[in-house]
Amino acid sequence: MFIWFLTSHDDVGWLKTIDQYYVGSNNSIQGACVENILDSVIMSLRRDPNRKFVFAEMVFFHRWWERQNPEIQKEVRKLVDAGQLEFVNGGWCMHDEAATHYIDMIDQTTLGHQLIKNQFNKTPRAGWQIDPFGHSAVQAYLLGVELGFDSIHFARIDYQDREKRQEDKSLEVIWQGSRTFGSSSQIFANAFPVHYSPPNGFSFEVNTDFNPVQDDPLLFDFNVEIRVNDFINSAMIQANVTRTNHIMWTMGDDFQYQYAESWFKQMDKLIHYVNKDGRVNALYSTPSMYADAKRAASESWPLKTDDYFPYAISANTYFTGFFTSRPTFKRYIRMLSGYYLAARQIEFLIGRRSAGPNTYSLSDALGIAQHHDAVSGTSRLHTTSDYAKRLAIGASEAEITVSSALPCLIDSKLNGQCATPTMTFSQCQLLNISFCPTTEADIPEGKSLVVVAYNPLGWERIDFVRIPVNDHYLVVKDSMGKIIESQYVELDNATRNMRSFYVEAYIGISPKEAPKYWLFFQASVPPLGWNTYFISKASRKGNSKSVYVSLVDHPKNETIVIGPGNLKLSFSSASGQLKRMFNSKSGIDMPVQQSYHWYASSEEAESSDAYHFRPNASTPQVVSRSVPLKVTRGPLVHEVHQQFNSWVYQIIRVFKDKEHAEVEFTIGPIPTENTVGKEIITRVTTNMSTEKVFYTDSNGRDFLKRVRDYRADWPLAVTQPIAGNYYPINLGIFIEDMKSELSVLVDRATGGSSINDGEIELMLHRRIIKDDTGGLVEPLDELICVNGTCEGLTIRGNYYMSINERGTGSRWRRTTGQEIYSPLLLAFSHENAQNWKSSHLTKATAMDANYSLPLNVALITLQELVDGSVLLRIAHLYEAGEDVEYSSLAKVELKKMFAGKTLKALKETSLSANQDKSEMKRTTWEVEDQNGSDPDPIRGGPVDMSTLIVELGPMEIRTFLLRF
Ligand SMILES: [Zn+2]
């Protein structure tokens, strides 16, 4: 028997923008119009009830659907009910799996699933990730099983892996992506034998050259027998690499079915004549029907654990460059992802407004940005600009939402109810390059600079606020009016230069002179709450002791030691190199070097580009062996400033009460002379004996063990010793030996590895001059222009390093990782402090005053939906066995979490909230050679409505719809 099914793969932006793809403009770049596809597919389906079609990208479907009249909508609902049109995946887009954060993956899927639920009352059953460049463990167990999918289908796996799987018929597997959940969370995963296009000769797009079935005996070229034989031959080839007698043909390709009848006509005929021939049976089908047939075949399947990274299509084409491509765009997405989480909380806390600004356009833009050519950095520059524009529009609307909601939230008289706030806050998206007009301005007489810090985390945090100011005679007071410690650090030139160029490039205004100082102070903010700080002018004579302008060290000793707290870093004053890290609390003392290098891209035909990474040698060029350093010290933070060369600048910060070092890098413009491309890396080098092993995260969630030059599923032929060992990183990377651990956390999606034992490497930036060979036909050469003056992109960001005793690093990684993802939301205003205090709650929490979530639990969604119900997601942050204390059952008390509100109804749902958890069907599959060491995962029990306590086992995410 044969099973067929049909689809069109419609990228949510790539060579063209999403709008251009939808309406079919700019067809000189690529002939593609999604509106035509949907129009014509629907017409073709209505002509014959046997025909079927699957559609994946709901952002396109949504646009089309909104523009149809009720009559067409009714017809489409009939097609969906009859199973002729099936939504697969059903997210806003077909998300990338390498550069995406799991929270973004959940959000974008929810957006599409809610649409399908509301309009069609359907729940997608199949994952359809046919095009992303490699596949993640989180996709399998979280964005698969937890959505109620029983199968997932994709095309792109490593060429060596595919070859081996063809030989032993293991392309189709039972995938257990989670070490914690093991066999209790598994999905049927179908990797296609070749690609997601049809077998050769069976592509029927209207304007392409194909050999139609000619079945009219009057035609001179009557060819039914020939075409039937071609068909059966192609089927036999595929049957030889597939278990059971069901095979799948993916009848479609990128933006196909512009005139759907062209395909359906051919397939109708082929089905008719092939079935008449009788050797095989062909039919229209869908991925979920295919999976049902596979299950009914009572076959046992090979087991797959971990993931499908990295992905290569040949010896020299490793898709590991895109882990880092377009690093500022990746950072923008991550920053807005955290902001979106906080903004929805605030929106919920004051009650979602039915009119006026809200967070929807940000959710739409973020949904689009998760597409496998968006966050991946693999679309053309004009398309990337279009994504960024959508994000900027969404961000500014969300910012207005937050700025007008905050006054309502914190006004002590209003109790959360307010229509028109009397004052507004400003927020500063360009704070990292010192641009924040409100904090830079002179504080008016009789007023203070009011800083409200909102904490979206479920636990109290102590964090450092850093704002640009022009005056160093300022005092910072806490919510009780007590003066707290503050510290000034003079603004560096790297920031000054970035500010003057990038503020104009990004927001179109030329900024005034850069502020003189960064002002640091420590903020302590309750969970799901806020705290207020008042900054005012000090009397100049009685210069307060708490005001501290950092001293600049002029090192005389051979070794310079920095760090106001437990963690110390020592540097060589001769070379400027980091030499050691030691922590006086844990006793860990480790020789550590830190450096910058670059790989020159290969000049061969298969070179680095937006997708690929192919250095011309295994040893990168060092940026600088010896680098001068400038040290500043104060009570809160010590900083080491280093200019490695004219385009790499770095500040290492060690804060009081923080057990890690923060590295702020400023890289660019990358010079391009004498080379086709440069890929800039940082290396952290220790003498740890790591035996080729390192750990990287899966979409910011589980940590996966990686072994250099090794794959668990096949004997790896190492062709690219660097690129072939790169993995995607969204949360962090760590190494360990018998004694200690070294961990690095990142602030955005990036690529990384451990190329030598004891070493961690991150690729931070890349600029490729040569034209892309992966389809873009455009170099990855990001230019930023102001008034016609263009320069290569300069990036700024952070990574964070910590040393820990073996077995204890996960606490730092999990807690700090959450803090990096969800930073304090800062809002600024100039007000009279006394008036403010008398009318506002200066420090409060939305939870019970004495409550906080356990440290192993994060609140990942709190959102009021359009129908007034509230979407709540809470996530356990630890894997089974990850930490002796925290890898255990955690409890969340909803009564205390929602203090002051009465919870009237609670319903546990699937991850995308489109079906009752209790109604989700778990499909079971027979796994061959399943050994006995399967874990028995801890899971929380049902929620008792009287106690309202939610239990979470390790790595569990539980989703609820609430009514208050
Ligand atoms: Zn695609």
Side-chain angles (χ1 to χ4, degrees):
M1 179 190 266
F2 265 125
I3 295 195
W4 284 23
F5 83 96
L6 337 162
T7 185
S8 168
H9 173 62
D10 302 329
D11 288 305
V12 180
W14 180 43
L15 304 180
K16 307 205 290 191
T17 67
I18 175 175
D19 286 358
Q20 292 167 351
Y21 277 131
Y22 182 74
V23 301
S25 63
N26 233 348
N27 272 357
S28 62
I29 294 179
Q30 191 181 10
C33 171
V34 178
E35 192 173 18
N36 284 350
I37 293 169
L38 284 165
D39 281 341
S40 93
V41 163
I42 296 303
M43 256 190 284
S44 286
L45 292 178
R46 289 167 68 186
R47 280 190 186 173
D48 183 343
N50 289 315
R51 294 173 170 178
K52 290 185 177 14
F53 192 77
V54 300
F55 196 79
E57 298 83 4
M58 296 313 291
V59 66
F60 280 134
F61 186 85
H62 175 60
R63 286 179 175 216
W64 182 83
W65 180 249
E66 295 280 294
R67 285 158 188 79
Q68 304 309 307
N69 62 40
E71 196 188 325
I72 300 281
Q73 291 192 341
K74 200 174 145 200
E75 287 297 321
V76 174
R77 286 200 173 97
K78 275 192 207 158
L79 294 173
V80 173
D81 283 337
Q84 281 190 264
L85 176 62
E86 180 175 312
F87 298 110
V88 284
N89 242 8
W92 222 226
C93 65
M94 184 184 293
H95 54 216
D96 181 52
E97 295 180 42
T100 37
H101 193 278
Y102 75 93
I103 295 179
D104 287 330
M105 297 164 99
I106 295 171
D107 283 337
Q108 84 86 14
T109 305
T110 302
L111 211 52
H113 281 200
Q114 293 295 314
L115 175 77
I116 297 168
K117 179 76 184 169
N118 294 338
Q119 297 296 330
F120 302 98
N121 197 27
K122 289 276 181 276
T123 52
R125 285 182 51 208
W128 192 244
Q129 289 288 107
I130 59 175
D131 197 23
F133 325 124
H135 301 282
S136 71
V138 155
Q139 176 68 33
Y141 87 88
L142 191 60
L143 277 303
V145 179
E146 294 300 320
L147 294 169
F149 291 175
D150 41 34
S151 65
I152 181 162
H153 308 260
F154 45 80
R156 296 182 182 273
I157 64 170
D158 186 278
Y159 72 105
Q160 295 179 21
D161 193 13
R162 190 194 302 275
E163 210 165 281
K164 196 214 162 224
R165 290 181 184 282
Q166 284 178 340
E167 271 163 32
D168 58 14
K169 293 192 177 183
S170 62
L171 285 160
E172 292 172 317
V173 297
I174 300 308
W175 190 1
Q176 298 174 4
S178 158
R179 213 156 28 87
T180 301
F181 295 122
S183 65
S184 74
S185 186
Q186 59 181 18
I187 193 164
F188 178 80
N190 165 25
F192 304 151
V194 185
H195 196 54
Y196 57 79
S197 38
N200 276 341
F202 292 92
S203 193
F204 306 123
E205 189 63 10
V206 68
N207 55 356
T208 57
D209 185 23
F210 62 83
N211 186 8
V213 179
Q214 301 178 55
D215 56 349
D216 183 341
L218 294 176
L219 292 166
F220 290 173
D221 293 328
F222 180 87
N223 64 359
V224 169
E225 202 181 329
I226 297 169
R227 291 306 279 154
V228 167
N229 283 336
D230 289 348
F231 185 100
I232 291 166
N233 288 342
S234 291
M236 289 309 164
I237 293 171
Q238 192 169 341
N240 280 337
V241 298
T242 312
R243 293 188 192 197
T244 77
N245 54 359
H246 300 283
I247 64 168
M248 176 192 272
W249 279 15
T250 45
M251 301 301 287
D253 210 319
D254 297 6
F255 300 99
Q256 307 277 284
Y257 292 78
Q258 310 250 352
Y259 173 63
E261 208 54 31
S262 170
W263 285 85
F264 282 111
K265 249 192 289 189
Q266 296 304 316
M267 292 189 290
D268 286 346
K269 286 182 186 175
L270 283 169
I271 289 175
H272 177 77
Y273 290 110
V274 162
N275 292 349
K276 205 167 150 193
D277 172 272
R279 281 177 283 174
V280 298
N281 182 28
L283 53 110
Y284 288 112
S285 178
T286 69
S288 55
M289 289 173 68
Y290 178 75
D292 288 344
K294 287 283 176 175
R295 192 168 43 247
S298 66
E299 171 81 35
S300 67
W301 304 93
L303 175 66
K304 164 76 179 172
T305 55
D306 62 63
D307 63 1
Y308 291 89
F309 284 117
Y311 160 64
I313 52 171
S314 64
N316 300 319
T317 44
Y318 272 88
F319 281 61
T320 51
F322 83 94
F323 300 160
T324 299
S325 293
R326 305 198 192 280
T328 46
F329 180 56
K330 285 183 162 75
R331 172 62 195 152
Y332 194 39
I333 292 170
R334 185 61 51 82
M335 177 181 129
L336 292 179
S337 169
Y339 189 80
Y340 176 49
L341 187 151
R344 279 179 293 170
Q345 288 181 359
I346 293 171
E347 207 174 27
F348 158 76
L349 290 173
I350 68 143
R352 190 179 193 275
R353 291 165 206 268
S354 49
N358 57 45
T359 54
Y360 179 79
S361 59
L362 182 55
S363 74
D364 173 61
L366 276 168
I368 292 168
Q370 310 307 321
H371 166 57
H372 59 269
D373 292 305
V375 67
S376 56
T378 57
S379 50
R380 282 200 181 166
L381 187 58
H382 81 105
T383 305
T384 307
S385 303
D386 182 78
Y387 295 133
K389 182 175 175 176
R390 289 170 194 280
L391 288 168
I393 291 167
S396 87
E397 198 175 319
E399 195 175 301
I400 295 167
T401 310
V402 167
S403 288
S404 61
L406 266 183
C408 303
L409 184 64
I410 67 179
D411 193 312
S412 55
K413 295 192 196 77
L414 291 168
N415 197 19
Q417 308 287 315
C418 77
T420 27
T422 51
M423 49 87 62
T424 54
F425 284 104
S426 65
Q427 295 167 70
C428 295
Q429 288 193 34
L430 296 178
L431 206 55
N432 73 332
I433 54 168
S434 81
F435 182 70
C436 187
T438 313
T439 68
E440 292 174 47
D442 197 33
I443 299 169
E445 201 57 41
K447 291 195 171 178
S448 293
L449 171 63
V450 180
V451 181
V452 174
Y454 175 80
N455 176 16
L457 297 180
W459 59 74
E460 179 173 17
R461 76 202 282 175
I462 294 173
D463 229 329
F464 287 85
V465 172
R466 184 173 71 120
I467 53 173
V469 294
N470 267 304
D471 188 340
H472 69 276
Y473 292 101
L474 300 174
V475 288
V476 182
K477 292 178 185 164
D478 67 12
S479 57
M480 307 298 288
K482 195 170 143 267
I483 294 177
I484 59 166
E485 249 178 348
S486 56
Q487 183 182 337
Y488 297 86
V489 175
E490 276 186 48
L491 202 78
D492 53 275
N493 282 334
T495 303
R496 236 176 263 279
N497 294 339
M498 271 198 96
R499 170 191 164 100
S500 69
F501 194 74
Y502 279 81
V503 170
E504 182 147 16
Y506 285 161
I507 57 177
I509 60 162
S510 124
K512 61 188 181 70
E513 206 184 321
K516 296 192 185 76
Y517 305 99
W518 288 111
L519 167 63
F520 288 81
F521 63 92
Q522 209 174 23
S524 156
V525 191
L528 211 59
W530 62 93
N531 199 351
T532 313
Y533 293 87
F534 300 91
I535 300 171
S536 56
K537 288 183 178 172
S539 103
R540 300 205 172 211
K541 283 174 198 159
N543 190 2
S544 164
K545 268 187 203 155
S546 63
V547 174
Y548 196 102
V549 181
S550 309
L551 296 177
V552 177
D553 254 14
H554 296 287
K556 293 175 195 75
N557 297 335
E558 203 177 296
T559 300
I560 300 157
V561 180
I562 66 155
N566 296 326
L567 180 70
K568 309 281 181 199
L569 269 59
S570 70
F571 292 80
S572 154
S573 54
S575 70
Q577 298 278 0
L578 176 65
K579 292 200 311 192
R580 301 192 86 77
M581 285 176 79
F582 54 100
N583 189 312
S584 56
K585 195 164 130 204
S586 66
I588 297 290
D589 184 348
M590 196 188 278
V592 181
Q593 284 183 317
Q594 185 257 351
S595 51
Y596 289 89
H597 308 255
W598 53 273
Y599 293 106
S601 306
S602 167
E603 300 194 36
E604 313 268 319
E606 293 161 321
S607 172
S608 281
D609 58 33
Y611 304 86
H612 308 116
F613 172 32
R614 189 188 179 189
N616 71 359
S618 297
T619 315
Q621 313 276 320
V622 69
V623 162
S624 170
R625 275 185 206 292
S626 132
V627 50
L629 79 178
K630 187 178 120 183
V631 181
T632 71
R633 294 172 198 271
L636 299 178
V637 59
H638 291 182
E639 293 189 343
V640 173
H641 293 232
Q642 295 180 292
Q643 184 85 53
F644 280 74
N645 67 6
S646 61
W647 46 274
V648 177
Y649 188 76
Q650 172 178 286
I651 301 174
I652 295 186
R653 299 192 179 97
V654 185
F655 292 97
K656 179 187 168 188
D657 304 331
K658 292 273 179 203
E659 307 289 315
H660 62 256
E662 172 186 298
V663 180
E664 182 189 87
F665 52 85
T666 305
I667 303 173
I670 300 173
T672 53
E673 73 286 354
N674 307 328
T675 170
V676 292
K678 284 193 180 72
E679 341 223 13
I680 317 305
I681 60 154
T682 185
R683 269 186 180 171
V684 181
T685 308
T686 71
N687 61 359
M688 289 166 79
S689 162
T690 53
E691 319 268 331
K692 296 186 168 186
V693 175
F694 55 107
Y695 298 83
T696 63
D697 66 273
S698 178
N699 303 113
R701 192 121 177 96
D702 308 61
F703 275 97
L704 269 58
K705 180 180 175 180
R706 311 297 191 181
V707 181
R708 196 165 62 248
D709 295 337
Y710 172 82
R711 304 287 188 269
D713 290 352
W714 76 94
L716 176 71
V718 179
T719 55
Q720 287 288 319
I722 308 295
N725 283 308
Y726 258 64
Y727 289 88
I729 295 170
N730 283 282
L731 169 59
I733 174 170
F734 72 93
I735 51 176
E736 60 182 11
D737 65 7
M738 296 310 284
K739 245 177 46 206
S740 35
E741 295 178 20
L742 169 75
S743 313
V744 171
L745 298 184
V746 295
D747 68 347
R748 73 195 70 187
T750 183
S753 186
S754 174
I755 296 297
N756 301 297
D757 279 358
E759 205 170 80
I760 283 175
E761 165 169 331
L762 297 176
M763 185 189 291
L764 299 174
H765 195 2
R766 56 200 314 254
R767 186 177 186 190
I768 317 288
I769 304 309
K770 200 178 160 190
D771 267 9
D772 168 276
T773 50
L776 281 191
V777 202
E778 193 183 84
L780 183 72
D781 182 16
E782 295 181 274
L783 298 174
I784 303 296
C785 303
V786 171
N787 300 329
T789 306
C790 297
E791 57 175 55
L793 175 71
T794 299
I795 65 159
R796 167 166 286 188
N798 295 315
Y799 65 89
Y800 307 82
M801 297 194 284
S802 180
I803 50 171
N804 301 89
E805 278 174 88
R806 185 190 168 102
T808 66
S810 65
R811 292 189 189 192
W812 177 76
R813 291 190 292 271
R814 293 300 181 182
T815 304
T816 310
Q818 218 55 34
E819 290 177 358
I820 294 167
Y821 177 79
S822 270
L824 287 174
L825 187 157
L826 299 176
F828 309 100
S829 189
H830 285 129
E831 297 289 335
N832 178 284
Q834 281 316 317
N835 294 349
W836 183 278
K837 278 185 238 175
S838 61
S839 56
H840 292 87
L841 293 167
T842 51
K843 184 179 180 184
T845 166
M847 306 209 284
D848 185 292
N850 297 311
Y851 186 66
S852 78
L853 295 190
L855 274 175
N856 49 3
V857 172
L859 172 61
I860 62 168
T861 316
L862 179 56
Q863 175 182 9
E864 185 174 334
L865 302 176
V866 179
D867 67 358
S869 61
V870 173
L871 179 61
L872 170 72
R873 271 191 205 97
I874 32 192
H876 197 298
L877 291 174
Y878 288 75
E879 294 171 61
E882 187 176 349
D883 183 85
V884 284
E885 186 187 331
Y886 288 131
S887 292
S888 56
L889 193 76
K891 288 180 181 162
V892 172
E893 300 185 49
L894 296 185
K895 278 183 183 169
K896 292 185 175 171
M897 191 171 157
F898 296 108
K901 285 184 154 72
T902 310
L903 194 55
K904 296 198 188 97
L906 168 146
K907 184 172 78 172
E908 181 158 18
T909 67
S910 64
L911 189 65
S912 64
N914 68 347
Q915 51 197 308
D916 277 20
K917 180 89 171 181
S918 56
E919 287 165 14
M920 286 172 75
K921 286 192 266 321
R922 298 261 168 190
T923 47
T924 49
W925 298 86
E926 202 62 43
V927 176
E928 59 178 29
D929 310 327
Q930 174 96 1
N931 57 29
S933 66
D934 194 46
D936 189 13
I938 307 167
R939 288 183 194 262
V943 179
D944 182 316
M945 275 310 285
S946 62
T947 55
L948 288 174
I949 290 173
V950 178
E951 298 173 333
L952 296 126
M955 278 289 117
E956 243 194 317
I957 294 181
R958 295 183 74 175
T959 307
F960 300 93
L961 284 172
L962 312 177
R963 289 262 172 200
F964 289 97

